[in-house]
Amino acid sequence: MTGFKTLAGAAFLSYIGPALAVPVVSVPTTTFQVIPTFTPPDQPATNVTSHGPYTGPPPTTTGALSTAVLAPSVAALPPGPDAYNYPSDGQLHAPQPAPYTPSGGLGTNGSAPVYRVLSDFDYESVALALYQEWIELDLFHWGLATFSVEDFENAGLTAEDRFLIEFMADQELGHATLLSNILGAQAPVQCNYNYPVSTVREFIDFCQKLTRFGESGVYGFLPHLNARDVAQLLLQSISTEARQQMIFRQFEGLFPMPVWFEAGVPQSWAWTLLAPYISSCPAGQTRLIWQNFPSLYILNQPNPLRVNGSDVFNETTGGYTNTASEKPIKPNESCLDNFEIGVNCAPAVSHNRSAPLSYPGRQVFLQWDNPGNPIGPNNSYITNTTAGAPRFAAWVSQLNVTYTPLLNISGNTAYTIQPNTSTFAGDPAVNGTIPRRILLSLTTYGRTASQLGIRNMPMPMPTKNLLQSCAAVGGRKSLSTTASRGQLASGPHQNTSNSSPSKSGSGGGTAGKRTKAAPPHKTQQQLDEELKLKMEGLSGDGGASGIEYEDGKPVAMRRSVRSNMFRYI
């Protein structure tokens, strides 16, 4: 019994002992030598390559990589046979393969991962991502080498900020090494580049747009890769790139993350925006299959370097990325050194801009190139489109694609009205840097624009929807609702005249038929006015399309927005 009591007391003391002990900070007295593990070498790279437009001989090979083409497009199909079978009721519906493990999933059967591509789709997609990593590696180093310490400090960027850019370049070397190892010996290598910038602020704007479409391009194809193991590694690298894009927005004095969802885009869209900045590549460089669309210029692209960023015209350094130009801005027009709250755009964790860079109902003036121009590495790719006359602008943002009719089309110019659309209540869909496209028609989608999600985007477009032009657009802001494809298709740009004979009276002879007179030809101004009337009431609160109304009057910023100013960053 005594023994039992002694043991019990010991057990009790062992329980309360830690509570009575005096805390002691452990200080190591010896540093042990740790043998380093094997570290794979980085892919050979040059920090800064040569730069400038391509001036070499004509290319011996032109056009995208190609083989036998089976059809002009991938046919649209209904959902798969099992798409709606799973009950999604929170219960388990199959035996568990192991404890705490639900049935289902891909790559969950215990097979060892193999990090290699498994199809042409995999190779071409990962190779595109590698081209993107290489240019970012060079771009970040190039900016640090080109602009002086004084240039950076005048733009509000300190030594610590510059070190962060250097670290991001190091990240790109890791990403390029990873993707090169996945692709093997024929992986694309580093090239020579050209950048449409001449100041630090332009450099930062270009970086935030380049990383934006690079990130979206990977999101577009990631769920479609055959190699799920590769998709996991690529996800880990693109997650880092998403952080880079947000940092460059902060460096530019923009709101760091103005959307709830990041959009995914098809590979050809990403390649179209990337290729113009690749001047030349070494002989034997692996070519890509993706299409290069003609450039789209946003003539009144908002300039985030200005106090009033929406009151602009021709303030970009060119098409495609439509990079902001600092040259037209006078010192008193710059938001960099204006310290008024809601106006200042110096580098910061976050800024609120009182005056929106853009807003629903704003006219957006567009101009696009004809196809057939040499572009990309060694001018060896050719811009191409099989679309007919352009009719709609597509605003690609978050989970939606919103279409607006092109108005006053004249040759290669037109304007459209920024839509008033939200992804969900309180989330303006057209926010941040977004891709914009010019399209021929909407007739083959068979669904409203708001139903087109990220997973639909990477699939090749039907023939009648092939893109006319391509651009990345920064600074779009809005609060609104989305008009359906059917509502837009009923606008005046649809040919609704009926010139077929109509029957009248009894008898089937020609005497009993009358030919309906063709309607008189309408001017473009009349067509535009009719469209505005047809779209009356489609926008929020029953106002004219694309225009917010409050108390019966059109306003650019409603009370609900003024009380949450970050929505207009």
Side-chain angles (χ1 to χ4, degrees), residues 165-454:
I165 296 175
E166 175 68 33
F167 183 75
M168 289 191 285
D170 295 339
Q171 291 175 323
E172 298 306 332
L173 179 58
H175 299 169
T177 299
L178 172 70
L179 301 188
S180 297
N181 291 343
I182 290 173
L183 292 175
Q186 299 304 313
V189 298
Q190 201 171 18
C191 299
N192 297 319
Y193 307 97
N194 65 89
Y195 305 127
V197 303
S198 57
T199 70
V200 170
R201 299 279 281 166
E202 293 174 357
F203 163 69
I204 296 298
D205 185 73
F206 181 63
C207 286
Q208 75 95 355
K209 289 174 179 173
L210 185 87
T211 51
R212 168 73 274 138
F213 66 72
E215 180 188 347
S216 290
V218 172
Y219 292 154
F221 68 73
L222 199 61
H224 299 285
L225 291 177
N226 295 102
R228 309 310 303 160
D229 324 75
V230 171
Q232 173 61 40
L233 296 183
L234 197 51
L235 175 62
Q236 292 176 245
S237 67
I238 207 62
S239 297
T240 302
E241 188 141 325
R243 290 164 169 80
Q244 294 177 354
Q245 202 272 339
M246 188 181 80
I247 287 169
F248 282 118
R249 287 185 63 87
Q250 292 172 312
F251 282 172
E252 195 171 359
L254 296 170
F255 193 74
M257 43 181 181
V259 294
W260 294 6
F261 307 93
E262 300 296 347
V265 301
Q267 296 94 322
S268 288
W269 297 15
W271 178 236
T272 292
L273 293 170
L274 173 62
Y277 308 108
I278 306 176
S279 300
S280 62
C281 294
Q285 173 82 326
T286 296
R287 300 181 64 77
L288 296 181
I289 194 175
W290 310 116
Q291 188 172 4
N292 294 88
F293 296 107
S295 179
L296 175 64
Y297 303 83
I298 316 300
L299 300 181
N300 60 335
Q301 161 77 357
N303 191 332
L305 312 182
R306 276 188 173 277
V307 170
N308 186 356
S310 64
D311 185 18
V312 297
F313 206 85
N314 279 336
E315 289 197 5
T316 66
T317 62
Y320 291 107
T321 58
N322 285 266
T323 301
S325 175
E326 196 173 21
K327 292 180 180 178
I329 302 176
K330 300 176 182 178
N332 65 328
E333 297 171 338
S334 172
C335 57
L336 180 63
D337 297 319
N338 188 316
F339 298 104
E340 181 182 346
I341 295 177
V343 176
N344 180 254
C345 64
V349 172
S350 183
H351 273 305
N352 291 336
R353 294 289 290 268
S354 298
L357 294 178
S358 194
Y359 44 85
R362 182 175 185 259
Q363 281 185 299
V364 180
F365 295 93
L366 309 172
Q367 179 178 325
W368 53 90
D369 288 343
N370 289 319
N373 294 320
I375 204 165
N378 306 78
N379 281 342
S380 64
Y381 292 81
I382 307 297
T383 60
N384 172 265
T385 174
T386 57
R391 299 180 59 194
F392 297 92
W395 305 69
V396 183
S397 180
Q398 304 197 59
L399 306 182
N400 293 351
V401 181
T402 302
Y403 299 93
T404 55
L406 294 179
L407 307 175
N408 197 29
I409 301 173
S410 177
N412 285 23
T413 63
Y415 75 85
T416 192
I417 305 298
Q418 181 173 323
N420 194 355
T421 180
S422 294
T423 308
F424 294 111
D427 177 27
V430 187
N431 238 9
T433 299
I434 70 170
R436 183 183 292 138
R437 307 290 183 263
I438 302 298
L439 293 97
L440 164 64
S441 74
L442 308 177
T443 56
T444 57
Y445 268 105
R447 66 191 75 178
T448 62
S450 61
Q451 291 175 317
L452 292 176
I454 289 177

Side-chain angles (χ1 to χ4, degrees), residues 77-89 447 451 456:
L77 298 174
D82 300 328
Y84 299 104
N85 287 353
Y86 186 73
S88 189
D89 56 4
R447 66 191 75 178
Q451 291 175 317
N456 301 80

